[in-house]
Amino acid sequence: MSRPRENCLHAEQGRGWLPAWPGAMHTLVFLSTRQVLQCQPAACQALPLLPRELFPLLFKVAFMDKKTVVLRELVHTWPFPLLSFQQLLQECAHCSRALLQERPSTESMQAVILGLTARLHTLETEDGTQPLCRKHALRVLDMTGLLDDGVEQDPGTMSMWDCTAAVARTCIAQQQGGTTDPRPAPIPVELLDAGCLRRVDLRFNNLGLRGLSVIIPHVARFQHLASLRLHYVHGDSRQPSVDGEDNFRYFLVQMGRFSCLRELSMGSSLLSGRLDQLLSTLQSPLESLELAFCALLPEDLRFLARSPHAVHLKKLDLSGNDLSGNQLEPFQGLLQAAAATLLHLELTECQLADTQLLATLPVLTRCTSLRYLGLYGNPLSMAGLKELLRDSVAQAELRTVVHPFPVDCYEGLPWPPPASVLLEASINEEKFARVEAELHQLLLASGRAHVLWTTDIYGRLAADYFSL
């Protein structure tokens, strides 16, 4: 099991007032930059005098240390066309700490958003003057790639939902303003350039199919959109209704307008018997497809295996779909079709027991480029896990396997065990400790100590499509 991170201080920081990170390596340039940002008002005044090549490191340090005043001013005066979190917050030559693998702080995220709105306000209200940022106008703010573990661990950090809410609150405040506010009257926020937007994420909504059918036509105007995330789209062919059918047909027509779509997430959508209708409307093959908890039928999986999408898939999420019965054979056919390209496979809570896993291993091991395999919440035994570990030797690119607690480690488990029981029932810690030790020894013996086998579903950075 993963252990909580601990704060520490680097020896070279000496005085003890500089926060550090376990194992992080810093250059003198980094430490000097950190020192400059200790006095935020002075740092903001100095920004126009600094070479723009320093801005990326200034951004990382300000984001890391929650220097919100400086961070807001950096975004406000950003001198490049692109501000990308994936580029700026990764491990770099000056600091080995990868902020993308941590949940972002609330203060830093809000500072970035406020800096953007301040920049837009400046551009709209200037009268014939040339601001610092106009020569190299910021066109794309790319906030993709942030850790989204789905749980609330720290009130000082932000989940994906927190980020969404912060953006909404900022935009509403910017548009409403107030009569007692001494600042100039706020203007409507026009953030989205139809030629630049790459992702729209509407997963956290209660709009339903009817509401989405109103919104999607507006989203479809972004012709270069590459990623669309929608949840709770109900098009179940087993329970049709007149209004539901009309809304679903209209939704399909609008989905056919996206010409550059490469990632589609439809989690928790009832798509039983309808996957062919949805995917047939798309103009180009998908490279990432998330169909978690979509109640897929065997015919849905067969269609996907035969479709042009299968041979292009890099990421596939079928979590929550029962693959243990009639769905197993078409699922194996889908894996066979996607074997040459698949990098990330998520199969959480798919009712895969040892019998189904062993029958699938021959085709699963043909996915030789696979980097991530998620099997949490499946009723697998220690024997099944050891067989998987041995057979996965052929997958040289494999780096992470998120596996379930073996059924051997539970007491009095019903069979077949429902997913809810596997997720909530207590385990025998001593038995599981022996399991972990044995798996570790097998990894060492096979020369693959670098491959992470873990039960921690929240500590792993979910592969973002744009980083694949």
Side-chain angles (χ1 to χ4, degrees):
M1 302 293 287
S2 64
R3 295 181 178 177
R5 291 166 173 156
E6 298 177 353
N7 292 325
C8 67
L9 294 175
H10 276 298
E12 72 265 22
Q13 292 169 334
R15 300 180 185 179
W17 50 263
L18 289 177
W21 197 252
M25 300 298 294
H26 299 151
T27 65
L28 183 59
V29 174
F30 176 91
L31 296 174
S32 299
T33 302
R34 203 171 221 176
Q35 173 67 11
V36 167
L37 298 188
Q38 292 304 307
C39 180
Q40 296 194 72
C44 289
Q45 291 180 2
L47 285 182
L49 306 176
L50 296 177
R52 66 176 193 160
E53 288 75 17
L54 287 179
F55 272 58
L57 183 57
L58 287 166
F59 183 92
K60 182 174 183 178
V61 175
F63 194 97
M64 178 188 304
D65 292 346
K66 302 176 187 176
K67 301 298 183 182
T68 55
V69 176
V70 176
L71 194 57
R72 177 175 174 172
E73 190 62 21
L74 281 168
V75 177
H76 185 199
T77 59
W78 194 251
F80 305 105
L82 172 65
L83 196 161
S84 168
F85 277 26
Q86 291 197 55
Q87 292 181 9
L88 297 171
L89 302 182
Q90 64 180 336
E91 180 179 345
C92 67
H94 298 290
C95 173
S96 60
R97 183 172 166 187
L99 296 176
L100 286 175
Q101 297 179 20
E102 307 165 23
R103 292 182 66 183
S105 76
T106 301
E107 299 152 279
S108 295
M109 290 297 296
Q110 289 178 337
V112 171
I113 297 166
L114 289 171
L116 180 62
T117 55
R119 181 190 185 101
L120 292 168
H121 187 273
T122 299
L123 290 173
E124 290 292 335
T125 56
E126 281 174 345
D127 184 17
T129 60
Q130 287 288 325
L132 174 67
C133 56
R134 191 182 294 277
K135 182 177 179 182
H136 297 284
L138 177 63
R139 291 181 55 81
V140 178
L141 173 60
D142 184 353
M143 299 170 71
T144 60
L146 291 171
L147 176 63
D148 180 18
D149 54 21
V151 294
E152 190 65 39
Q153 296 177 333
D154 183 346
T157 62
M158 301 184 81
S159 65
M160 181 65 72
W161 172 250
D162 294 329
C163 295
T164 303
V167 173
R169 284 195 300 269
T170 302
C171 292
I172 291 171
Q174 179 75 2
Q175 294 189 48
Q176 288 180 343
T179 56
T180 60
D181 193 336
R183 295 173 298 179
I187 59 167
V189 179
E190 299 293 344
L191 299 181
L192 305 180
D193 184 333
C196 293
L197 191 68
R198 295 195 297 162
R199 168 176 286 159
V200 169
D201 192 335
L202 296 173
R203 289 176 296 170
F204 305 101
N205 74 83
N206 59 356
L207 297 170
L209 184 56
R210 184 172 183 177
L212 287 174
S213 296
V214 175
I215 291 177
I216 291 299
H218 298 283
V219 177
R221 74 184 181 90
F222 301 108
Q223 290 301 308
H224 295 286
L225 192 75
S227 172
L228 181 61
R229 293 176 170 180
L230 307 171
H231 283 191
Y232 314 114
V233 178
H234 299 327
D236 190 348
S237 63
R238 298 170 296 183
Q239 297 178 336
S241 66
V242 175
D243 289 342
E245 287 296 297
D246 289 343
N247 286 330
F248 191 67
R249 281 195 295 267
Y250 182 73
F251 172 78
L252 293 177
V253 170
Q254 300 306 316
M255 289 296 294
R257 295 173 57 188
F258 295 102
S259 59
C260 297
L261 200 63
R262 294 295 182 270
E263 178 180 52
L264 180 62
S265 176
M266 299 290 290
S268 301
S269 299
L270 291 178
L271 297 176
S272 305
R274 291 292 183 87
L275 193 60
D276 59 336
Q277 297 178 45
L278 173 63
L279 298 183
S280 295
T281 65
L282 303 180
Q283 295 187 31
S284 53
L286 295 172
E287 296 180 346
S288 175
L289 181 58
E290 299 178 8
L291 298 170
F293 299 93
C294 287
L296 298 181
L297 301 177
E299 54 263 38
D300 296 314
L301 296 173
R302 289 193 185 95
F303 170 81
L304 181 55
R306 297 192 301 265
S307 74
H309 305 284
V311 296
H312 291 86
L313 286 176
K314 296 180 180 178
K315 180 179 180 181
L316 178 63
D317 187 349
L318 296 176
S319 297
N321 293 284
D322 187 349
L323 302 178
S324 64
N326 294 333
Q327 287 92 334
L328 184 62
E329 179 271 329
F331 164 63
Q332 293 169 346
L334 174 57
L335 276 188
Q336 178 66 48
T341 57
L342 201 58
L343 305 177
H344 185 105
L345 179 60
E346 188 66 73
L347 301 173
T348 297
E349 297 182 45
C350 287
Q351 296 298 310
L352 292 171
D354 288 359
T355 301
Q356 290 81 30
L357 178 64
L358 295 178
T360 305
L361 279 179
V363 65
L364 179 61
T365 53
R366 292 191 188 114
C367 302
T368 54
S369 298
L370 197 67
R371 303 173 187 167
Y372 174 97
L373 176 62
L375 290 169
Y376 193 83
N378 289 286
L380 298 173
S381 71
M382 181 55 182
L385 290 178
K386 288 196 291 187
E387 197 67 31
L388 171 64
L389 191 152
R390 294 189 188 100
D391 284 17
S392 63
V393 172
Q395 296 169 302
E397 300 300 317
L398 191 62
R399 292 296 179 269
T400 304
V401 177
V402 180
H403 63 86
F405 295 99
V407 293
D408 318 58
C409 297
Y410 293 87
E411 303 291 347
L413 197 64
W415 198 265
S420 59
V421 173
L422 291 176
L423 296 177
E424 297 173 8
S426 59
I427 64 167
N428 185 308
E429 296 289 349
E430 291 185 5
K431 288 184 178 180
F432 182 63
R434 291 195 293 270
V435 165
E436 283 193 310
E438 188 171 355
L439 290 175
H440 180 65
Q441 288 301 317
L442 288 172
L443 287 170
L444 289 176
S446 61
R448 291 179 298 153
H450 61 282
V451 182
L452 176 64
W453 278 61
T454 179
T455 57
D456 184 4
I457 59 173
Y458 298 124
R460 301 301 100 214
L461 178 62
D464 186 279
Y465 165 67
F466 293 111
S467 67
L468 291 176

